[in-house]
């Protein structure tokens, strides 16, 4: 794949979006310069501002990135990598930039003035893109010189840019097609996003459909007399949507921001058959006028007071407890298959069911009427709603899954009966005998009157299994390739007949004897006739750790000593992974906790998605890591000490590893997981989750082709009893000061015993097996401890850690 060479990006505007876009570019190792207006600052004598103080607006924004939650940065210190600039002094820096993203406030006049200012300074090849949520890209382009117009387009990141997968790209009539292709490849592979191409219509695709849906939800909630907390419970996870539901989502987005997006609809869509439904809800106006702008102001539709969540009561103007939930019968209906679910909702007399049918019907109706105008095909609408609004299915997918023809008749009946938001009829293509809009040949395009296949851009060849749509004929990863072995919890298979893939299929990919069997079988098969093993599964869990519940029957019968052989089996399996004659690559995405972390560190290499959260968390259930995690910490400390100085103090390199395990620290990104030591500098971080398998297979194949040899088994020094005593002294102070409990002290002391090598002199040479024996002994002893048993049972019953 030929890449569009992006050596540096300029982001214009250090507001909420601009600063966070810059932060994410730093996350994915793209150099970035962040511009804003020069700060109007003078020194005490009235002299002009210094260069540093002229960057004051940007400096404040960059400092603010370190405090935001969720963090826009992989690690806070990377904020220093954002180059700071202002328009007065640094426009010459634009000549170094291959991509310029304008992200100032949503004011057409301000944007046009900025374009006039920067145009003479742009590199002749640079792509220029406006990050706008709905302004006309074509109108924005009109002020640009003719030489820049072919390289200008719209780019719409969703907030927060690090975490939201969707980016919309919008062409103008003068945008060169290859410019959009180049930008799509960069945004997909280097920035790690899912790209949807939108037509240049108000609010583009996701906000057009999503905000219309939120307005419809607010209207139907009022019609059926439902409170905000009930609506959010109904329209959250139960409906296959973002857990924040509708009104909480509005609070997170910002009620003023939402009002701005609504105004874009009002100002530009007077002829839209749904125009009356674009009216700003009275309650939204009331809240904004009162300064209640949502999460950023501390109050909106909801307000948090201490630990209590209150909701706004429109009737009284007061905030009242938000403790109402959906009716249980509705929760049960929503678990049914799509066809039965929609039928039951439509036929029910329950107001909550009628409300849900109404908002689903409104969504189907709206998407069908507007598809031809806003998107090239139904694919863009469904992906935009998945990636931009957190729905598990887009509107067309759900419609198709529930039975296209039947649902179409139901929607038509409601339109004819005057129950819908608009009298606009469904388009004729809805009733042309089709069974849906997604087929193996492509997705339906009303504007072109044909099915359009997925993009064939080279960047998508890096996605072994791009996200599937209902009806598109995609093969599930767990049914793809050539199967080599399978049990109830692991599938071993290959895509290319060169690298073996081991996919854990157990719930949360918890490690059990069957998982151990599957991993060992994968290594055995690969060692016979393949180039390597990739441990990968097609969801957001690498492994959540050991399956403690599965071990309960053995434990109840024989106690901790009965678990000893199972722990030994896991340790031996991971040693086999470490010393396999072919490279084993852990392809990590989502959580890799406890035993999942231990599988990863035992592998020859790790390839991790940006959003990979790694840590040894066993203390949360009153245990210590038992699958070699502590052995890894001790060995790495010895290796780092030796690399720095043959006489270096191992304890200096051990302290952080001990602390991370004792405090169950989890990296909140692949970058932080590397900082914690669970990923190495030599490991690969992949921005796009859908490229993870491709990169991991490529790495395994390359390692083998380069002559991979497993590491030698060798002795290494440990810190010894004095280091252990030092740690225990610090732990005793924390216990006596009330910072940790007596049981925390006990567990941490056992962790210290393992990582320092136990009761031996400093510098004593040990084997991995020696340290693993200590792990086993302490792990099984803790299983018999009443306080640990309380923690385990609490976790199994509530999913939350017990502190005792």
């Amino acid at each position: 794949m030929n890449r569009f060479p992006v050596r540096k990006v300029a982001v214009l505007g250090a507001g909420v979006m601009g600063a966070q876009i810059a932060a994410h570019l730093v996350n994915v190792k793209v150099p970035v310069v962040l511009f804003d207006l020069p700060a109007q600052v003078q020194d005490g004598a009235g002299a002009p501002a210094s260069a540093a103080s002229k960057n004051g607006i940007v400096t404040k924004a960059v400092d603010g990135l370190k405090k935001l939650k969720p963090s826009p940065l992989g690690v806070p210190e990377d904020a220093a990598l954002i180059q700071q600039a202002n328009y007065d002094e640094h426009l010459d820096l634009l000549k170094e930039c291959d991509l310029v993203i304008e992200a100032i406030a949503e004011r057409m006049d301000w944007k046009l003035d900025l374009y006039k200012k920067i145009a003479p300074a742009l590199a002749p090849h640079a792509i220029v893109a406006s990050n706008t949520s709905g302004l006309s890209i074509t109108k924005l382009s009109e002020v640009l010189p003719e030489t820049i117009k072919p390289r200008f387009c719209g780019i719409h990141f969703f907030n927060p840019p690090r975490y939201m997968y969707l980016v919309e790209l919008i062409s103008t009539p003068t945008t060169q097609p290859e410019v959009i292709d180049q930008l799509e490849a960069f945004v997909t592979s280097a920035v790690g996003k899912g790209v949807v191409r939108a037509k240049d219509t108000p609010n583009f695709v996701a906000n057009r459909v999503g905000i219309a849906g939120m307005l419809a939800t607010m209207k139907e909630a009022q019609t059926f007399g439902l409170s905000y907390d009930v609506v959010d419970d109904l329209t959250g996870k139960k409906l296959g949507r973002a857990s924040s539901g509708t009104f909480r989502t509005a609070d997170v987005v910002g009620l003023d921001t939402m009002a701005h997006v609504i105004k874009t609809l009002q100002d530009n869509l007077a002829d839209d058959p749904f125009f009356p439904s674009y009216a700003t809800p009275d309650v939204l106006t009331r809240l904004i006028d009162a300064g209640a702008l949502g999460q950023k102001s501390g109050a909106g539709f909801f307000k948090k007071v201490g630990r209590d969540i209150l909701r706004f009561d429109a009737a009284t103007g007061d905030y009242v407890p938000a403790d109402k939930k959906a009716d249980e019968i509705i929760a049960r209906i929503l678990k049914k298959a799509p066809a039965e679910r929609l039928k039951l909702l439509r036929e029910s007399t329950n107001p909550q069911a009628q409300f849900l049918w109404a908002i689903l019907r409104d969504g189907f109706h709206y998407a069908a009427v507007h598809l031809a105008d806003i998107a090239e095909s139904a694919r863009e609408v469904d992906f935009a709603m998945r990636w931009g609004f957190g729905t598990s299915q887009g509107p067309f997918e759900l419609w198709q899954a529930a039975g296209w023809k039947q649902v179409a008749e139901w929607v038509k009946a409601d339109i004819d009966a005057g129950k819908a938001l608009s009298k606009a009829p469904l388009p004729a293509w809805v009733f042309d005998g089709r069974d849906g809009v997604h087929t193996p040949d492509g997705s339906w395009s009303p504007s072109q009157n044909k099915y359009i296949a997925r993009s064939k851009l080279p960047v998508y060849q890096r996605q072994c299994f791009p996200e599937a749509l209902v009806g598109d004929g995609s093969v599930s990863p767990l049914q793809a390739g050539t199967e080599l072995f399978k049990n109830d919890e692991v599938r071993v298979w290959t895509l290319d007949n060169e690298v073996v893939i081991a996919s854990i299929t157990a719930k949360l990919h918890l490690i059990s004897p069957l998982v151990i069997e599957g991993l060992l079988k994968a290594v055995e098969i690969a060692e016979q006739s393949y180039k390597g093993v990739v441990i990968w599964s097609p969801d957001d869990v690498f492994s959540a750790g050991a399956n403690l519940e599965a071990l309960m029957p053995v434990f109840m019968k024989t106690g901790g000593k009965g678990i000893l052989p199972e722990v030994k089996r896991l340790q031996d399996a991971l040693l086999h992974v470490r010393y396999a004659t072919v490279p084993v690559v852990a392809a990590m995405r989502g959580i890799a906790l406890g035993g999942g972390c231990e599988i990863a560190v035992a592998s020859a290499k790790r390839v991790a998605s940006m959003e990979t959260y790694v840590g040894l968390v066993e203390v949360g259930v009153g245990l210590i890591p038992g699958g070699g995690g502590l052995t890894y910490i001790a060995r790495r400390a010895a290796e780092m000490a030796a690399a720095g100085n043959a006489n270096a103090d191992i304890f200096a390199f051990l302290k952080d590893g001990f602390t991370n395990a004792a405090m169950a620290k989890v990296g909140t990104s692949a970058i932080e997981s590397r900082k914690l030591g669970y990923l190495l500098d030599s490991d690969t971080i992949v921005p796009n989750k859908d490229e993870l398998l491709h990169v991991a297979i490529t790495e395994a194949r390359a390692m083998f082709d380069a002559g991979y040899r497993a590491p030698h088994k060798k002795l290494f020094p440990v810190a010894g009893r004095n280091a252990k005593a030092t740690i225990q002294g610090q732990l005793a102070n924390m216990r006596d000061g009330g910072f940790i409990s007596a049981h925390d002290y006990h567990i941490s002391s056992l962790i210290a015993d393992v990582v320092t090598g136990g009761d031996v002199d400093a510098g004593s040479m040990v084997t991995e097996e020696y340290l693993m024996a200590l792990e086993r002994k302490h792990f099984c002893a803790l299983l018999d401890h009443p306080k640990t048993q309380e923690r385990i049972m609490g976790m199994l019953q509530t999913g939350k850690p017990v502190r005792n």
Side-chain angles (χ1 to χ4, degrees), residues 327-658:
D327 292 345
E328 181 56 36
I329 189 171
I330 304 302
R332 289 200 298 271
I333 289 174
L334 292 177
K335 292 178 181 178
K336 303 285 186 183
E340 184 179 4
R341 183 194 322 156
L342 266 61
K343 183 176 187 294
L344 290 171
L345 291 175
R346 185 173 186 271
E347 294 176 351
S348 174
T349 57
N350 184 298
Q352 294 181 16
Q354 293 176 330
F355 159 77
L356 286 173
W357 163 250
I359 65 170
L360 291 172
R361 173 204 65 216
D362 295 341
F364 299 149
H365 187 194
Y366 190 89
V369 167
H370 290 95
L371 175 57
D373 296 326
I374 65 174
E376 204 61 65
S377 77
R379 181 189 306 108
E380 284 73 34
V381 171
D382 281 346
F383 277 149
M385 294 309 295
R386 272 206 218 169
W387 299 341
F389 279 78
T391 64
S392 58
Q393 290 181 316
F396 291 116
E397 284 189 285
L398 177 57
W399 184 348
Q400 185 164 334
W404 184 269
K405 294 173 182 175
Q406 178 62 78
V407 173
E409 291 298 336
W410 287 339
V411 175
K412 181 180 183 300
D414 279 10
I415 296 170
D416 294 344
K419 296 179 180 179
L421 291 177
S422 169
K423 296 178 181 178
L426 289 171
W429 59 262
V430 170
F431 298 101
D432 64 4
R434 69 181 55 247
D435 291 316
V437 291
H438 302 303
T439 72
D441 294 327
S443 295
W444 180 249
S445 171
S447 60
Q448 296 190 37
N449 197 35
K450 66 179 183 179
Y451 290 95
I452 297 179
R454 288 188 184 228
S455 171
K456 295 295 192 294
L457 285 178
V459 68
Y460 293 112
Q461 295 173 14
R462 296 170 59 83
Q463 298 184 6
C464 299
F465 297 100
E467 286 196 40
L469 291 161
V470 168
D472 72 359
S474 296
V475 178
S476 164
L478 297 180
Q479 275 81 50
T482 302
E483 193 167 286
L484 306 173
F485 170 83
K486 186 177 182 180
N487 63 26
D488 287 345
E489 296 188 355
V490 176
R491 181 183 189 235
V492 179
W493 53 294
T494 182
L495 270 178
D496 60 359
N497 292 317
E498 289 192 322
V499 175
V500 172
I501 304 167
S503 297
I504 304 173
T505 58
K507 181 181 179 182
L508 293 176
H509 305 172
L510 295 174
I511 302 166
S512 68
L514 283 176
V515 170
I516 294 170
E517 176 194 39
L519 293 180
L520 287 174
K521 192 68 177 177
V523 173
E524 176 190 332
I525 292 170
E527 288 181 323
Q528 290 172 357
S529 53
Y530 290 85
K531 291 185 174 182
V533 177
V534 168
I535 304 172
W536 172 86
S537 301
D539 55 24
D540 283 323
V541 179
F542 180 73
S543 172
N547 190 340
L548 295 177
E549 195 168 9
L551 297 175
M552 288 301 288
V554 176
F555 174 73
M556 296 301 292
K557 186 181 294 186
T558 60
K561 68 178 183 296
I563 304 298
L564 197 71
E566 298 299 331
V567 179
K568 177 72 161 58
R569 192 171 291 116
L570 172 62
Q571 292 177 339
D572 289 346
L574 296 186
L575 282 174
H576 193 73
V577 166
R578 173 165 161 72
Y579 293 106
T581 58
V582 294
V584 178
V585 176
M588 306 163 69
R589 170 180 163 194
I591 58 174
L593 305 178
C597 174
E598 290 171 317
I599 291 174
V601 299
S603 300
K605 189 178 182 72
R606 287 139 295 279
V607 175
S609 168
M610 176 66 189
E611 299 307 325
T612 303
Y613 310 98
V614 191
L616 296 169
V617 297
E618 285 83 354
V619 296
V621 288
L623 295 168
I624 69 167
L630 300 182
T631 299
Y632 167 80
I633 289 171
R635 175 172 59 77
R636 281 289 298 152
E639 290 170 351
M640 289 188 290
N645 186 326
N647 298 314
D649 179 11
I650 296 171
F651 183 53
F653 295 90
L654 184 65
K655 289 185 290 186
D656 286 347
F658 163 78

Side-chain angles (χ1 to χ4, degrees), residues 151-172:
R151 295 178 280 111
F152 179 78
C153 63
I155 184 169
H156 181 207
F157 285 85
F158 275 64
N159 190 23
R162 171 184 162 186
Y163 301 95
M164 296 301 290
Y165 190 56
L166 177 63
V167 169
E168 293 175 320
L169 297 183
I170 310 97
S171 298
T172 75

Side-chain angles (χ1 to χ4, degrees), residues 55 85 142 155 385 500 596 675 803:
N55 286 339
E142 290 172 357
I155 184 169
M385 294 309 295
V500 172
K675 183 181 175 183
R803 286 298 171 199

Side-chain angles (χ1 to χ4, degrees), residues 77-383:
E77 54 265 35
D78 277 357
L81 299 177
I82 299 173
Q83 186 176 356
Q84 301 182 21
N86 65 79
Y87 302 124
D88 274 6
E89 300 173 305
H90 305 120
L91 284 182
D92 58 313
L93 292 176
L94 291 175
K95 293 198 183 303
E96 304 172 10
C97 299
D98 304 297
L99 172 62
V100 177
I101 299 173
E102 170 271 304
I104 68 170
E106 293 283 86
R107 282 273 302 267
M108 178 76 73
D109 54 341
W110 290 0
K111 289 178 185 282
L112 296 179
D113 286 344
L114 180 59
Y115 295 171
K116 293 174 187 176
K117 187 180 186 71
I118 66 167
L122 296 171
H125 67 283
I127 295 175
V128 183
S130 175
N131 182 71
T132 172
S133 60
L135 294 179
S136 169
I137 305 302
T138 302
K139 287 183 180 178
L140 287 171
S141 73
E142 290 172 357
V143 74
L144 292 168
E146 293 301 317
T147 55
I148 297 176
K149 285 182 180 180
R151 295 178 280 111
F152 179 78
C153 63
I155 184 169
H156 181 207
F157 285 85
F158 275 64
N159 190 23
R162 171 184 162 186
Y163 301 95
M164 296 301 290
Y165 190 56
L166 177 63
V167 169
E168 293 175 320
L169 297 183
I170 310 97
S171 298
T172 75
T174 56
T175 307
Q176 288 181 348
E178 57 266 32
V179 165
I180 290 289
D181 289 349
Q182 290 170 338
L183 188 56
E184 180 167 351
F186 172 73
V187 170
T188 299
S189 193
V191 186
K193 299 302 177 185
V195 169
V196 163
R197 295 198 186 189
K199 294 187 178 182
D200 191 11
T201 55
N203 293 341
F204 312 129
V205 178
N207 276 344
R208 178 71 175 272
V209 177
I211 295 299
M214 291 178 73
L215 287 170
T217 300
M218 292 178 181
K219 183 179 185 303
E220 302 291 6
Q222 186 175 10
T223 299
F224 292 99
L226 303 182
S227 60
Y228 307 140
D229 45 359
V230 170
V231 169
D232 276 5
D233 193 44
L234 286 167
T235 60
K237 286 187 176 180
K238 288 183 174 67
L239 199 61
R241 298 183 177 180
S243 58
S244 51
T246 300
F247 292 98
R248 177 62 182 153
T249 294
D251 278 352
V252 172
V253 168
L255 304 192
D256 53 340
T257 301
M258 185 175 177
H260 174 82
V261 177
I262 293 170
K263 190 172 187 304
T264 301
L265 297 175
Q266 295 167 350
D267 291 347
N268 295 280
L269 295 171
D271 296 331
D272 190 315
F274 286 79
F275 184 78
S277 70
Y278 299 152
T280 305
D282 290 340
V283 65
L284 190 65
T285 302
R286 286 174 61 188
L287 288 168
I288 292 172
D289 289 346
L293 305 181
Q295 184 172 275
K296 60 188 171 187
S297 67
F301 287 106
F302 295 93
K303 178 169 71 171
K304 188 173 183 180
V305 179
R307 294 187 176 182
D308 297 326
I309 302 295
L310 307 180
R311 65 170 171 84
F312 184 69
D313 186 326
T316 65
D318 296 326
Y319 283 89
V320 299
D323 52 8
K324 295 181 180 177
K325 300 285 185 182
D327 292 345
E328 181 56 36
I329 189 171
I330 304 302
R332 289 200 298 271
I333 289 174
L334 292 177
K335 292 178 181 178
K336 303 285 186 183
E340 184 179 4
R341 183 194 322 156
L342 266 61
K343 183 176 187 294
L344 290 171
L345 291 175
R346 185 173 186 271
E347 294 176 351
S348 174
T349 57
N350 184 298
Q352 294 181 16
Q354 293 176 330
F355 159 77
L356 286 173
W357 163 250
I359 65 170
L360 291 172
R361 173 204 65 216
D362 295 341
F364 299 149
H365 187 194
Y366 190 89
V369 167
H370 290 95
L371 175 57
D373 296 326
I374 65 174
E376 204 61 65
S377 77
R379 181 189 306 108
E380 284 73 34
V381 171
D382 281 346
F383 277 149

